């Protein structure tokens, strides 16, 4: 809960308390969403491949 409040306080400070809040948050939100997608792709690329299990039938 404290992290959420700190994030909200930092965003208000960064945006300067603008009156049009929706428009002010659009650019930072878009950049954050893009960064999250890049991080997700990087994580998927960097994950090691799942080892295949060859089960011999007897």
């Amino acid at each position: 809960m404290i992290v959420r409040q700190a994030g909200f306080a930092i965003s208000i400070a960064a945006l300067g308390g603008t009156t049009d809040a929706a428009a002010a948050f659009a650019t930072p939100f878009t950049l954050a969403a893009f960064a999250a997608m890049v991080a997700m792709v990087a994580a998927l690329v960097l994950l090691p491949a799942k080892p295949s299990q060859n089960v011999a039938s007897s």
Side-chain angles (χ1 to χ4, degrees), residues 5-30:
Q5 291 173 340
F8 183 71
I10 291 170
S11 66
I12 293 296
L15 295 173
T18 59
T19 57
D20 191 8
F25 277 98
T27 302
F29 180 81
T30 303

Side-chain angles (χ1 to χ4, degrees), residues 21-54:
F25 277 98
T27 302
F29 180 81
T30 303
L31 291 174
F34 179 72
M37 291 200 332
V38 168
M40 184 179 67
V41 169
L44 290 173
V45 168
L46 294 174
L47 280 175
K50 194 178 221 182
S52 62
Q53 296 178 352
N54 293 333

